[in-house]
């Protein structure tokens, strides 16, 4: 791909699909863009076909040029460490294969179900617990949605659909409109939730049409964003989220605790404060899921608890996300019990 210089950020490239098509797909191009000589990052993996580098330019523009330890860069840069087999880390740490009763459906929790509406993302986060997920076996075409929705319709205990992926906002607006309408037509459903990181890496994804689709759904709609560092909260994102708030969408955030990215009280408290300024409630703070290739991001549970205690002492309660871990087979996220530490 042609190298995009920082000065070439173009206001006319406002079509999110075009921005995605022009995303960085090579570590060399991204490091050139950031003015980083390759010899400053000798541990970078330049080729990794299974889970390659993918970084849209708006997200890269939030990184600090010349800084090999930039917390945004560290989340997306493939490193040789990912190739090391580490005991306790596996390709399916949450054992989702056992909760995959139908193509495109993950049913782990009582009353709500995940619908895998898209099989890719706009960014490849190196710590992603689904980085080895068999998306090819779970790709649900528009023609196959009805089968997945029949699964939901036939279980009247399900009252909430969570559009997940991959990233469900990779669907184009007309497809999303159709999917939301199909969910609207399932009588027992009350809520629609969208789990996405796409607006964070390409704020232009929040189109006026997307806001209208969510506004006109009969379901109570929330969007759970995935933001790990205050520097990910850009002015463009602020403007996009205002559109969603005006459409009546509740905005929540989940973060993952990541070594050298956000395992610091000041970083986490700044994140919570900034989220609130953007109209987003800090919701969950996750311990890392132990997926192969991500061990270098892990911090200990004791360190996580210490950080969480500092947040509780330093922030109003509504700015302190719940500290949780996902445990395979449990019907809910497991809160970390502070009393037992
Ligand atoms: S956006 Fe979410 S699902 Fe996609 S790679 Fe990142 S963490 Fe994984």
């Amino acid at each position: 791909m042609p190298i995009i210089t920082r000065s070439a950020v173009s206001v006319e490239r406002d079509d999110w699909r075009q921005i995605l098509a022009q995303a960085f797909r090579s570590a060399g191009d991204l490091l050139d863009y950031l003015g980083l000589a390759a010899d400053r990052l000798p541990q970078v993996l330049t080729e990794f076909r299974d889970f390659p580098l993918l970084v849209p330019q708006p997200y890269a523009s939030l990184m600090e040029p010349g800084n090999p330890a930039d917390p945004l860069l560290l989340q997306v840069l493939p490193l040789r460490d990912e190739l090391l087999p580490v005991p306790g880390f596996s390709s399916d740490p949450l054992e989702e294969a056992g909760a995959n009763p139908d193509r495109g459906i993950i049913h782990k929790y009582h009353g709500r179900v995940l619908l895998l509406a898209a099989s890719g993302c706009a960014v490849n986060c190196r710590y992603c617990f689904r980085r080895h997920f068999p998306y090819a076996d779970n790709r649900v075409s528009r023609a196959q949605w009805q089968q997945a929705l029949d699964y939901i319709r036939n279980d009247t205990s399900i009252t909430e659909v969570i559009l997940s992926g991959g990233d469900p906002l990779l669907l184009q607006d007309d497809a999303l409109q159709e999917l939301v309408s199909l969910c609207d037509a399932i009588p027992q459903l009350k809520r629609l939730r969208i789990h996405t990181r796409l607006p964070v890496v390409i704020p232009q994804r929040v189109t006026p049409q997307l806001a209208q689709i969510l506004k006109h759904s009969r379901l109570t709609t929330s969007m759970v964003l995935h933001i790990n560092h205050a520097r990910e909260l850009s002015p463009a994102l602020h403007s996009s989220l205002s559109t969603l708030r005006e459409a009546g969408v509740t905005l929540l955030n989940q973060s993952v605790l990541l070594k050298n990215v956000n395992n610091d009280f000041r970083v986490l408290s700044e994140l919570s404060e900034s989220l609130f300024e953007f109209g987003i409630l800090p919701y969950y703070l996750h311990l890392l899921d132990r997926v192969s290739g991500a061990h270098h991001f892990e911090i200990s549970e004791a360190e996580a608890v210490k950080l969480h205690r500092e947040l509780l002492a330093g922030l109003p309660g509504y700015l302190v996300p719940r500290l949780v871990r996902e445990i395979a087979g449990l019907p809910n996220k497991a809160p970390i019990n502070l009393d037992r530490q």
Side-chain angles (χ1 to χ4, degrees):
M1 67 170 272
I3 293 172
I4 303 170
T5 62
R6 295 185 75 78
S7 58
V9 178
S10 161
V11 286
E12 65 262 20
R13 283 190 314 151
D14 58 355
D15 183 318
W16 67 272
R17 290 155 300 195
Q18 190 184 349
I19 295 171
L20 180 56
Q22 294 179 343
F24 291 99
R25 287 177 165 78
S26 122
D29 286 347
L30 178 61
L31 296 182
D32 280 349
Y33 170 77
L34 294 170
L36 274 166
D39 61 2
R40 294 189 66 193
L41 284 153
Q43 68 278 35
V44 169
L45 263 182
T46 47
E47 280 280 320
F48 196 176
R49 287 199 189 149
D50 288 349
F51 192 58
L53 178 139
L54 178 62
V55 184
Q57 191 274 341
Y59 189 69
S61 74
L62 303 175
M63 298 173 187
E64 185 186 355
N67 181 4
D70 181 87
L72 278 55
L73 175 64
L74 293 181
Q75 294 181 57
V76 295
L77 194 63
L79 300 179
R80 292 184 195 287
D81 272 352
E82 296 183 25
L83 302 178
L84 295 175
V86 176
F89 286 74
S90 68
S91 60
D92 182 14
L94 305 185
E95 297 174 16
E96 288 192 322
N100 188 196
D102 219 333
R103 197 178 177 88
I105 292 280
I106 294 183
H107 195 176
K108 295 193 278 192
Y109 303 141
H110 177 75
R112 55 235 194 254
V113 78
L114 264 76
L115 178 58
L116 304 180
S119 54
C121 292
V123 61
N124 282 344
C125 312
R126 309 316 302 175
Y127 48 84
C128 178
F129 74 94
R130 289 212 184 108
R131 56 182 287 168
H132 308 284
F133 189 79
Y135 284 116
D137 299 339
N138 278 280
R139 194 164 285 134
V140 185
S141 68
R142 262 168 108 162
Q144 291 168 322
W145 280 346
Q146 200 57 60
Q147 190 181 331
L149 292 163
D150 282 346
Y151 175 89
I152 297 169
R153 187 177 290 102
N154 292 335
D155 183 341
T156 53
S157 71
I158 298 171
T159 53
E160 180 170 11
V161 171
I162 303 167
L163 300 186
S164 182
D167 197 313
L169 291 190
L170 274 187
L171 289 179
Q172 309 239 5
D173 285 336
D174 61 337
L176 204 59
Q177 168 75 78
E178 185 180 339
L179 185 54
V180 171
S181 299
L182 289 167
C183 291
D184 279 348
I186 299 177
Q188 80 268 19
L189 286 183
K190 295 179 180 165
R191 293 179 300 281
L192 175 73
R193 200 190 319 170
I194 297 178
H195 280 189
T196 181
R197 186 154 161 80
L198 222 158
V200 181
V201 297
I202 306 180
Q204 293 86 341
R205 174 62 191 95
V206 181
T207 59
Q209 193 185 348
L210 172 65
Q212 287 304 307
I213 292 167
L214 300 180
K215 181 176 180 176
H216 293 295
S217 169
R218 74 161 182 86
L219 303 168
T220 305
T221 307
S222 59
M223 184 174 284
V224 180
L225 295 146
H226 174 178
I227 300 168
N228 296 319
H229 195 284
R231 291 241 320 276
E232 296 176 347
L233 290 150
S234 63
L237 179 65
H238 188 275
S239 151
S240 293
L241 296 181
S242 301
T243 314
L244 290 175
R245 281 207 316 277
E246 283 160 17
V249 179
T250 300
L251 300 174
L252 304 167
N253 184 61
Q254 51 184 348
S255 307
V256 185
L257 271 172
L258 300 167
K259 187 175 184 179
N260 297 329
V261 172
N262 60 11
N263 60 323
D264 176 275
F265 165 69
R266 272 175 306 177
V267 170
L268 290 172
S269 52
E270 190 186 349
L271 172 60
S272 277
E273 303 254 18
S274 302
L275 286 169
F276 197 67
E277 281 168 23
F278 274 57
I280 311 167
L281 268 183
Y283 171 41
Y284 279 136
L285 185 60
H286 284 260
L287 268 75
L288 181 81
D289 296 315
R290 306 190 90 203
V291 65
S292 305
H295 67 276
H296 52 295
F297 286 111
E298 190 175 51
I299 66 165
S300 69
E301 187 167 309
E303 183 183 349
V305 167
K306 177 173 173 291
L307 284 166
H308 196 241
R309 282 212 176 101
E310 289 172 353
L311 290 176
L312 284 167
L315 291 173
Y318 58 89
L319 291 188
V320 181
R322 278 172 259 178
L323 181 64
V324 293
R325 178 196 287 287
E326 283 230 43
I327 297 176
L330 272 196
N332 51 271
K333 291 182 198 287
I336 305 296
N337 189 339
L338 298 183
D339 300 336
R340 293 212 328 249
Q341 300 292 323

